[in-house]
Amino acid sequence: MIYLAVNETYLEHELSDVIRLFYGMEDIVPHEAPEQRIKIEFFAAWNAGQGSFECCVSEQGRTPLKEQVTSPIPAADDIIFKRLMRRSAKLCLYRALKRHTGLSQPWGALTGIRPTKLMRQLMDEGMSFEEAHELLGGPFEVEEEKLSLLTDILRQQQGVWQLGTDDVYDAYIGVPMCATRCLYCSFASVDLSRTRVDVSAYADALQREIREVGGMLNAQGKRVRAVYVGGGTPTSIGRENLQRVLQQAKLTFKGAQEFTVEAGRPDALDDDMLHMLHDMGDLRITINPQTMNGETLSRIGRAHTPEDTVRAMNKAQQLGFDSINMDLILGLPGETRGDMTDTLKKVIDLGADNITVHTLAIKRASRLKEKLDNYPVASADVVEEMVNLSRRMMNEAGLMPYYMYRQKFMTGNFENVGYCRSGKECIYNIDMMEETHNILSIGAGGISKRMFYDRALHTRYAHAKNVADYLTRLDEFIAGNMAFFS
Ligand code: SF4
């Protein structure tokens, strides 16, 4: 247990994120407790354009350690001012904990999920690309490998990245249901093997929300840029139900530049499902094997085999989808370096033009977190080797990184990276991760976002996470989503 005392409460959240870089899932509390192992006292002040930060780390049996940072921070409006104060506060605590633990982190003092967005933010604040690069590599101590990843991503996004306007939006349609629950999953997805859901009623509800809210945006003259149907596993509601949802979406969002369906686990993708998806026309799909190791698949609670992945992929290629993405996870329980290399090779050989490489994140709500002792998880060193190897192998196969994000509790504090062949970038993934466009979300768990483009801020409108609540309160969510965009 770690006791964190901060004189400014608005810094608490970011400082806790820095602590988690070093102490993972250990509890952080705002008061003294008998079980507490470490005490961190943090003090921040500002005077005449100068922010001063002081941090003291005490652990029983060790001499307390102090760190100080001062930074020029101009007087600005509250949002910008706090953003700059948080940035320097994190730096101060990072340095203290680095000295205290003797550990450094691949992303240095950077927390938060979007390093590419931060890079752009620094340039918007007046820095050149080189200055922003220098700041991250210097005071923030981001490793060279990660800086070069950031540079490659920014380069690959050129021509696709754009800052939206209030007249343009992306649409997300969510199906938070899966045939079974994977061991590592923390997502609020209904496990259909355990919970009965009227999937036909859910498809009706999605159709209605798409028609009414999407129809309102059309009537307002707003333009949709990209549509993403995600999950859970959208195919888990069955071919006919999914077909009518997609038909409605194609009709309502007919001007979309891009249309992606997360086809999901290979076991949910028989030939009929793939034919139906292909018949929708101009569709990108994702097939998500996570690993090509059969033993790992059964260990993580998946009902498909590597052969199912090969079959689904071959069939999808035969049908000629516009683009096929495959999702992988490095560091799954029980996997060795050899297993991960084998998966990377096999997936590259299958010829996907878009591959997303995730690093395992052990979330609080997952069964893996509860049963961690039963499942050996690769060390951070091995995962780091695999993260670097995956990047080399992707590049050699002609796939370049085009978006990335980080999650809390990721093994070794690494990142998830989407790679693709040039021209096959998923617009929705870039818009979503860089927070450049309004998002209309439809369905249970969906969160619509409206951007304040001049301030890099957004507001949110959330639907109920629970499918039964969403169905019961559908009128309310349709009205709420409409009001949010009015
Ligand atoms: S397929 Fe994805 S959403 Fe569904 S249970 Fe597995 S990890 Fe969770």
Side-chain angles (χ1 to χ4, degrees), residues 177-182 184-187 189 231-233 262 265 290 302:
M177 299 171 208
C178 293
T180 54
R181 192 164 176 83
C182 305
Y184 54 84
C185 184
S186 62
F187 183 67
S189 183
T233 312
E262 206 173 315
R265 306 185 200 185
Q290 313 305 14
R302 290 213 155 199

Side-chain angles (χ1 to χ4, degrees), residues 117-274:
K117 197 178 166 200
L118 174 65
M119 187 87 177
R120 285 205 166 89
Q121 217 170 58
L122 292 171
M123 291 191 272
D124 284 349
E125 286 166 18
M127 287 187 193
S128 65
F129 175 81
E130 289 70 27
E131 284 166 340
H133 201 269
E134 229 166 74
L135 176 76
L136 297 188
F140 277 84
E141 303 188 23
V142 177
E143 287 177 359
E144 195 46 50
E145 183 79 24
K146 302 303 171 200
L147 283 172
S148 106
L149 175 65
L150 279 184
T151 308
D152 282 355
I153 291 174
L154 292 175
R155 189 179 303 129
Q156 198 66 23
Q157 287 182 351
Q158 273 172 23
V160 184
W161 184 96
Q162 55 176 249
L163 195 56
T165 63
D166 210 38
D167 290 338
V168 186
Y169 68 98
D170 291 330
Y172 177 84
I173 301 161
V175 181
M177 299 171 208
C178 293
T180 54
R181 192 164 176 83
C182 305
L183 180 70
Y184 54 84
C185 184
S186 62
F187 183 67
S189 183
V190 179
D191 176 349
L192 292 172
S193 70
R194 290 167 184 267
T195 309
R196 193 182 290 271
V197 170
D198 185 345
V199 289
S200 172
Y202 189 69
D204 290 344
L206 290 182
Q207 270 186 281
R208 201 184 134 204
E209 195 179 1
I210 294 167
R211 194 173 54 242
E212 295 188 19
V213 188
M216 183 200 79
L217 291 176
N218 285 343
Q220 289 176 349
K222 305 222 161 134
R223 184 170 63 79
V224 64
R225 174 167 143 101
V227 179
Y228 194 99
V229 184
T233 312
T235 44
S236 66
I237 59 172
R239 183 167 54 89
E240 282 167 13
N241 286 324
L242 182 58
Q243 185 177 28
R244 56 201 178 87
V245 173
L246 296 180
Q247 280 166 342
Q248 181 67 60
K250 280 268 177 182
L251 188 69
T252 305
F253 304 125
K254 57 175 169 285
Q257 236 175 291
E258 175 188 278
F259 205 111
T260 306
V261 177
E262 206 173 315
R265 306 185 200 185
D267 49 320
L269 279 177
D270 59 16
D271 287 3
D272 286 349
M273 184 68 83
L274 283 166

